[in-house]
Amino acid sequence: NLVIVFFKQKTAYEMFMLESGGCGYHKGAEVCGSIAKKTDQVKAAEKLSKKKQSEMSKTEADRDDTQAELDSANEEYDKLKPVCIKPSVSVEERVAQREAEIESLQQALEILDN
């Protein structure tokens, strides 16, 4: 009979907890509600964390692509720089070279006209 009384008391307690909003494991709905609220907060934080991780991965991939493009552009610039800029040739020398080129082109034009 003692087992039956204990069982009825336990069942009554569980019914009380269910009706009062408790979860059946704690004394009162406040504690269970707090646990449920914390659980929801943890789930929301985990979801936000996954979203931020995904965004970070995408951003890192974009950064890597941009860095690769920049490296390629810098390599091309380094290749073209010596061709475009001759620091050893002065302005006067370049002017003289251009005048010589113009004169030789004019001579070639005269030869072709005759």
Side-chain angles (χ1 to χ4, degrees):
N1 279 337
L2 185 59
V3 172
I4 293 173
V5 170
F6 177 75
F7 181 75
K8 284 182 181 179
Q9 286 178 347
K10 184 176 179 185
T11 304
Y13 174 74
E14 289 175 351
M15 289 299 292
F16 168 76
M17 291 303 289
L18 288 173
E19 290 172 358
S20 67
C23 60
Y25 297 107
H26 304 285
K27 295 181 181 178
E30 241 178 70
V31 174
C32 290
S34 175
I35 290 172
K37 186 176 181 181
K38 297 285 184 194
T39 302
D40 290 344
Q41 289 173 347
V42 168
K43 287 179 182 177
E46 288 173 348
K47 184 177 180 181
L48 180 62
S49 175
K50 287 180 183 178
K51 180 181 177 186
K52 294 293 181 182
Q53 286 287 344
S54 174
E55 289 175 2
M56 186 173 76
S57 295
K58 184 176 186 278
T59 302
E60 286 176 347
D62 289 346
R63 182 200 62 206
D64 292 343
D65 291 343
T66 303
Q67 186 63 47
E69 289 177 19
L70 177 62
D71 292 343
S72 175
N74 283 333
E75 283 180 25
E76 193 66 28
Y77 174 74
D78 290 339
K79 288 178 186 175
L80 294 174
K81 187 176 178 182
V83 174
C84 296
I85 302 171
K86 293 183 181 178
S88 62
V89 179
S90 69
V91 173
E92 292 82 17
E93 290 174 349
R94 283 188 280 159
V95 169
Q97 288 174 352
R98 297 296 172 256
E99 287 176 354
E101 287 177 17
I102 291 171
E103 186 178 321
S104 66
L105 289 172
Q106 286 175 344
Q107 288 174 356
L109 182 61
E110 286 179 22
I111 293 171
L112 290 174
D113 283 341
N114 291 331

